[in-house]
Amino acid sequence: EKEAFRLCSALTSVTIPANISEISWGLFGNCYNLEEVYIYSTTIKDYAFSDCSSLVTATLGDSIAAIGASAFNGCSKLSGIVIPDAVTAIGSSAFRYCTSLETVKVGNGTKSINSYAFGGCSALSSITLGDSVTTIGSDAFYSCSSLPEIVIPQSVTKINSYAFDNCTALADVIIEDRATALSLGSNGSSPLFSDCPLDSLYIGGKITYSTSSSYGYSPFYRNTSLRSVVITDTEEEVYDNEFYGCSNLKNVSIGNGVKKIGNWAFSG
């Protein structure tokens, strides 16, 4: 039942067998001394392990069906997580403020990474996204200030606003070769990557975004650290303002599919 073991301060280890169908809302929330959990087959509901501040190890079985909102929020000692292929969605704030989380592997069945899913994971240095992810929610990687690189799989069709806000180490962005367009948001009136010291950018297919000032003109607008850009044959246009003010840009490769270079695309 809901919150059944909440605040069980002496609890240090939990094993959830395969015959348990659901870890209820807030079931182990605020179990401050819980260090390890082993979950074999179930649905993890919202806040199930929230604020288990001593949790170091969370082993998720191959049949885990869902990870709810804030399920591991505030598990500040959790060092790594592997999301099984069976998980179709990572809930909002699911791993928010897991400040020791260094490595994440998202399974090939996951379609959506919801808002703030990994927000505030300040130690995150490596993430692998599965090949079924279609949506990256707003603020999904907010303040992941140790993340140096992100590879966006070809399956992703939308990255929402503020997804990389305050990602102050993000230098390399790879948008994998794709047949479908990728829609990019903004940080309000600032560019999507305005807080990121971009160095290299690979665009493997069509991208779309608003070119108006109220949406920051371009995701890469005035990114003064950006040094290298590759645009493959699949893209057809370099849009208005796309690399405006990228004053350190030294190497640009534009593919044979590009038919148009927009206004102010490389101004400055």
Side-chain angles (χ1 to χ4, degrees):
E1 294 294 330
K2 179 169 128 177
E3 297 185 306
F5 298 100
R6 184 173 180 267
L7 289 168
C8 288
S9 58
L11 193 63
T12 59
S13 179
V14 169
T15 300
I16 308 294
N19 64 326
I20 301 296
S21 62
E22 179 180 289
I23 300 177
S24 301
W25 194 100
L27 188 67
F28 296 99
N30 300 96
C31 289
Y32 297 118
N33 290 307
L34 183 62
E35 297 177 359
E36 54 185 10
V37 296
Y38 300 91
I39 307 169
Y40 288 95
S41 176
T42 189
T43 296
I44 303 173
K45 289 291 193 179
D46 299 354
Y47 296 93
F49 296 96
S50 67
D51 294 308
C52 291
S53 55
S54 295
L55 186 64
V56 175
T57 302
T59 303
L60 307 182
D62 291 341
S63 299
I64 301 293
I67 299 175
S70 297
F72 294 92
N73 181 30
C75 293
S76 55
K77 289 187 178 178
L78 189 64
S79 59
I81 194 75
V82 176
I83 310 295
D85 290 346
V87 173
T88 58
I90 301 173
S92 298
S93 300
F95 296 93
R96 192 176 186 183
Y97 298 133
C98 291
T99 52
S100 296
L101 191 65
E102 294 182 2
T103 61
V104 171
K105 186 178 185 301
V106 177
N108 289 326
T110 301
K111 295 181 179 178
S112 61
I113 299 173
N114 288 312
S115 58
Y116 290 100
F118 297 98
C121 293
S122 55
L124 185 63
S125 59
S126 175
I127 183 163
T128 303
L129 302 180
D131 58 17
S132 294
V133 175
T134 60
T135 304
I136 296 176
S138 60
D139 297 278
F141 298 102
Y142 166 77
S143 283
C144 290
S145 53
S146 297
L147 187 66
E149 179 185 81
I150 187 79
V151 177
I152 310 298
Q154 61 179 349
S155 56
V156 177
T157 58
K158 183 165 186 160
I159 299 178
N160 285 293
S161 296
Y162 298 97
F164 303 105
D165 190 22
N166 204 35
C167 287
T168 53
L170 186 59
D172 301 316
V173 174
I174 299 170
I175 300 172
E176 283 190 335
D177 295 351
R178 58 184 45 247
T180 55
L182 172 62
S183 172
L184 299 170
S186 67
N187 290 0
S189 59
S190 297
L192 181 67
F193 294 99
S194 58
D195 291 334
C196 308
L198 296 184
D199 178 72
S200 69
L201 172 67
Y202 179 93
I203 302 176
K206 184 176 178 61
I207 60 172
T208 63
Y209 54 84
S210 173
T211 59
S212 74
S213 60
S214 57
Y215 290 90
Y217 293 110
S218 154
F220 319 109
Y221 183 81
R222 284 185 169 166
N223 198 298
T224 57
S225 61
L226 183 61
R227 182 186 54 85
S228 175
V229 171
V230 174
I231 300 172
T232 64
D233 294 349
T234 310
E235 179 63 295
E236 296 183 350
E237 183 176 352
V238 180
Y239 299 97
D240 292 356
N241 301 303
E242 187 160 348
F243 300 104
Y244 182 106
C246 294
S247 54
N248 196 44
L249 196 56
K250 296 176 181 178
N251 302 292
V252 179
S253 174
I254 299 177
N256 292 326
V258 172
K259 300 174 182 178
K260 178 182 177 181
I261 296 178
N263 298 321
W264 311 287
F266 293 96
S267 180

